[in-house]
Amino acid sequence: MIDEKDKIKATSELIADLQSFRDEVITKYPKKVGKKRAKSIVLSDPDTPPEIQANVRTIPGIITQRGCTYAGCKGVVLGPTRDIVNITHGPIGCGFYSWLTRRNQTQPGDDNDANFIPYCFSTDIQDSNIVFGGEEKLKQAIREAYELFHPHAIAIFSTCPVGLIGDDVHRVARQMKEEIGEGINIFGFSCEGYRGVSQSAGHHIANNGLFKNLIGRDDKVRGSQKYRVNLLGEYNIGGDAFELERVFEKCGINLIATFSGNSTIQKFENAHTADLNMVMCHRSINYVAEMMETAFGIPWIKVQPIGAHSTAKMLRKIAQYFGEQELKDRVEEVIAEEMIAVETACEKARKRTVGKLAMLFVGGSRAHHYQDLFEELGMTTIAAGYEFGHRDDYEGRSVIPTIQIDADSRNIEEITVTRDATRYNPRKTEEELKALEAKGLEFNEYHGLMNQMEKGTLVIDDLSHYEMDKLIEKYHPDVFCAGIKEKFCVQKMGIPLKQLHNYDYGGPYAGFKGAINFYNDIEMIAGASIWKEIKAPWENEAYVEAQYAY
Ligand code: CFM
């Protein structure tokens, strides 16, 4: 058994070596490529985060982890809403690819509640549509979907070929709304896969669409509690939203809307009646928080309910915001009650996890959020990065004014939001906000991933496959967190990979019960030695022969 002190020493020696990784990798690339990649590979410094290059085009020929703009709009933001018929206008592959693979779950109230999530709607366009146009086929698809399901809303998502041939999905939406008549909302998204450098562009397009077409249409005040909040950037992967709903309910807090885990049209339309917006995934949804603040006067705070202590912190922030003793007491009661099981599970797992190493290369927020859970397990994250984060997700929002807007960002519509004439109602006065800030509650702020990472650890934006191979060869982490594209390559190298997009088959990982699930899963993964036993055939046999199977 290695002593805990030895483990810490070994970790700090390893961190001291990370600079050499950067140098070695950069010199291996062709000069021009190396120069560009050098700007996206930095050593973290939590006190003065270095500038990192992010949200720029991937270099052609490099194997990236990224997805496309369509995936960010249809798959990520609108996908988890159960009662909108989401029609992919494009070839069938795009619709099929974004069908349930993300494991966003939903729970309809009863049999009468619409739930279209199990379906995959696509216009399945063919070569002839590319030549003669696909608008008629799209109209037909909308008619068919309406006749079959009578939904309250239909959304149309453009894929790459649709943009190239110039089908106007917005015009089709208008025409079909007129044809079908009252009682239906139909809207389109110009979220062609190529429109931005990654799925991040799709989030922005989706957020604009949510704001223009859904938010603020239903003024009825719902729910019985006086504490009314929205959770933005939570997508109910593996049941995360269910756990958070349970926690809020236990505290006596009404969750008016979640964007968009386990959501419905009505929740979006009603969201402006909440008194606080909490941003969980900053990358995908900070736009909605800002728009709702401008239009309706709802302040927003950053929260992070991944990790038991972070969940407790979130609840305390809510109680601080509303300021009432009764809520503060209730929150403390809930935390104390939930922490009993959390601490037992954590202690058990820590026997096999303390001192182990993690690497996280995921999306635009989880590579940060999950570091809290690893910290609770006594593990060190020695390298991390986003696929499509922006500089603010790494360095904190204070750098936003210095971010250069390039042609790719200009490609995305910026909508102008102004105060809603009748619904604008500042939930707190300037003085109240200042007083809360003086007590440590920060508004409109996110400090980013580097703020948390130990000095000298590696931060890499848009990790390439080559860089991933080298990281594993050199540092043998105990767990590598990424997605399905990386999973089997990494495991063939003898290192376990935990999918942090869809959680493999696991979850929930949010909230208190989620933390327990995560401890158990990581204990099994990081404590197992089976991966090191796996040898590729060529490591055992001098000559490997195979045949193609037809
Ligand atoms: Fe936000 Fe997400 Fe993520 Fe994201 Fe995603 Fe996702 Fe993700 Mo996959 S919205 S940025 S586009 S937390 S699908 S639920 S896991 S890459 S880190």
Side-chain angles (χ1 to χ4, degrees):
M1 198 72 186
I2 312 169
D3 187 72
E4 214 167 283
K5 270 193 210 141
D6 288 342
K7 281 182 186 167
I8 292 165
K9 189 165 161 263
T11 309
S12 55
E13 276 166 18
L14 196 151
I15 291 175
D17 185 66
L18 293 171
Q19 172 75 36
S20 73
F21 167 87
R22 184 177 185 270
D23 301 341
E24 278 167 37
V25 161
I26 289 164
T27 47
K28 272 280 186 300
Y29 281 124
K31 224 174 165 188
K32 249 184 158 175
V33 175
K35 211 172 147 201
K36 194 168 176 210
R37 285 304 297 151
K39 294 183 193 156
S40 290
I41 307 176
V42 302
L43 295 174
S44 183
D45 184 347
D47 303 322
T48 40
E51 180 173 337
I52 187 166
Q53 173 181 261
N55 193 33
V56 294
R57 286 184 195 189
T58 302
I59 300 162
I62 275 186
I63 303 178
T64 170
Q65 297 182 297
R66 284 177 169 173
C68 67
T69 299
Y70 158 80
C73 184
K74 190 269 180 184
V76 173
V77 178
L78 270 300
T81 305
R82 65 173 166 269
D83 53 359
I84 300 179
V85 166
N86 288 326
I87 301 181
T88 298
H89 186 30
I92 195 65
C94 305
F96 188 83
Y97 160 79
S98 60
W99 183 28
L100 295 179
T101 48
R102 185 166 170 247
R103 296 190 69 237
N104 47 258
Q105 303 182 356
T106 200
Q107 183 60 58
D110 57 44
D111 287 349
N112 298 322
D113 266 12
N115 178 14
F116 306 122
I117 285 186
Y119 295 93
C120 173
F121 300 93
S122 168
T123 49
D124 181 22
I125 63 170
Q126 303 293 325
D127 301 7
S128 60
N129 306 120
I130 299 292
V131 177
F132 300 110
E135 289 186 14
E136 277 312 310
K137 200 167 188 191
L138 175 60
K139 284 184 191 168
Q140 199 45 44
I142 294 171
R143 279 183 203 114
E144 201 180 317
Y146 184 72
E147 276 160 28
L148 283 171
F149 298 104
H150 293 96
H152 294 300
I154 296 178
I156 309 154
F157 299 88
S158 307
T159 56
C160 297
V162 162
L164 295 174
I165 63 176
D167 276 3
D168 186 342
V169 298
H170 307 286
R171 182 176 57 205
V172 171
R174 277 194 306 276
Q175 289 172 347
M176 289 311 293
K177 201 169 162 179
E178 218 161 90
E179 183 183 308
I180 295 173
E182 276 306 299
I184 188 147
N185 193 357
I186 306 179
F187 42 91
F189 292 90
S190 294
C191 57
E192 297 84 358
Y194 59 76
R195 191 166 278 270
V197 302
S198 69
Q199 49 270 66
S200 169
H203 304 147
H204 198 162
I205 294 164
N207 284 202
N208 289 347
L210 282 173
F211 195 80
K212 282 195 296 195
N213 299 297
L214 292 162
I215 296 170
R217 297 174 157 238
D218 170 12
D219 291 328
K220 189 167 173 212
V221 176
R222 293 168 204 275
S224 53
Q225 309 289 347
K226 50 180 170 173
Y227 313 113
R228 305 162 55 76
V229 301
N230 294 324
L231 184 58
L232 274 52
E234 197 305 314
Y235 300 95
N236 203 15
I237 311 301
D240 277 352
F242 300 146
E243 163 63 2
L244 295 174
E245 286 165 8
R246 179 189 74 84
V247 172
F248 289 130
E249 200 172 310
K250 202 169 165 183
C251 293
I253 297 164
N254 268 151
L255 187 57
I256 305 302
T258 300
F259 288 71
S260 57
N262 198 27
S263 62
T264 59
I265 301 166
Q266 187 193 70
K267 288 183 182 173
F268 288 150
E269 292 184 335
N270 200 229
H272 65 293
T273 66
D275 295 319
L276 174 66
N277 274 333
M278 299 183 290
V279 173
M280 180 170 167
C281 168
H282 174 264
R283 181 62 272 135
S284 63
I285 207 121
N286 68 86
Y287 320 91
V288 163
E290 288 181 343
M291 292 189 272
M292 284 179 77
E293 178 157 31
T294 311
F296 309 114
I298 308 172
W300 71 266
I301 55 170
K302 174 77 177 71
V303 297
Q304 207 298 74
I306 303 289
H309 293 280
S310 325
T311 305
K313 207 168 150 190
M314 170 185 77
L315 296 176
R316 290 188 175 118
K317 278 186 183 178
I318 302 172
Q320 202 186 347
Y321 174 80
F322 287 105
E324 292 195 22
Q325 198 54 42
E326 143 208 67
L327 181 62
K328 287 182 185 165
D329 293 344
R330 182 68 195 136
V331 156
E332 290 307 326
E333 263 169 41
V334 170
I335 295 171
E337 210 177 297
E338 296 286 330
M339 276 308 207
I340 300 168
V342 166
E343 270 155 20
T344 316
C346 193
E347 227 167 88
K348 177 178 160 282
R350 280 177 66 98
K351 293 198 181 84
R352 298 173 82 180
T353 56
V354 168
K356 298 226 158 138
L357 303 180
M359 293 185 180
L360 292 82
F361 290 93
V362 202
S365 74
R366 294 187 174 185
H368 180 197
H369 289 171
Y370 278 74
Q371 292 192 29
D372 284 7
L373 278 166
F374 283 114
E375 258 177 49
E376 289 173 2
L377 287 168
M379 294 175 65
T380 309
T381 303
I382 57 164
Y386 300 126
E387 291 168 40
F388 51 78
H390 297 200
R391 275 185 61 205
D392 38 320
D393 302 300
Y394 288 104
E395 302 169 52
R397 284 179 67 89
S398 57
V399 303
I400 289 177
T402 65
I403 295 178
Q404 272 177 351
I405 311 285
D406 60 11
D408 289 309
S409 315
R410 269 194 209 102
N411 213 5
I412 307 161
E413 181 198 19
E414 274 293 343
I415 58 173
T416 315
V417 177
T418 50
R419 277 186 188 186
D420 189 288
T422 53
R423 296 180 184 86
Y424 181 78
N425 163 29
R427 304 311 202 263
K428 299 265 181 200
T429 62
E430 281 297 320
E431 294 73 49
E432 284 169 332
L433 289 175
K434 281 213 181 89
L436 283 167
E437 259 168 346
K439 284 190 192 151
L441 187 65
E442 281 185 308
F443 293 94
N444 308 7
E445 188 52 282
Y446 173 44
H447 295 289
L449 166 147
M450 288 207 246
N451 188 259
Q452 182 168 8
M453 289 189 70
E454 217 172 291
K455 196 174 163 103
T457 49
L458 262 177
V459 177
I460 307 177
D461 181 64
D462 189 17
L463 180 82
S464 76
H465 192 96
Y466 169 70
E467 290 152 10
M468 181 180 83
D469 271 8
K470 289 291 146 202
L471 274 177
I472 289 169
E473 260 175 42
K474 229 172 138 91
Y475 302 113
H476 309 284
D478 297 287
V479 59
F480 194 92
C481 300
I484 192 68
K485 295 202 290 283
E486 297 80 32
K487 185 169 177 91
F488 300 103
C489 305
V490 171
Q491 293 191 163
K492 282 176 191 168
M493 294 173 86
I495 300 294
L497 186 141
K498 177 66 195 167
Q499 289 193 69
L500 280 193
H501 298 264
N502 72 356
Y503 303 159
D504 295 297
Y505 315 99
Y509 292 143
F512 299 110
K513 290 201 171 153
I516 297 174
N517 289 336
F518 195 77
Y519 303 152
N520 290 340
D521 288 352
I522 296 301
E523 181 196 359
M524 273 197 291
I525 292 169
S529 54
I530 187 69
W531 304 102
K532 298 183 180 69
E533 305 300 324
I534 296 173
K535 293 265 176 285
W538 54 88
E539 291 179 87
N540 295 327
E541 299 161 43
Y543 185 68
V544 183
E545 205 176 1
Q547 272 186 329
Y548 281 116
Y550 295 100

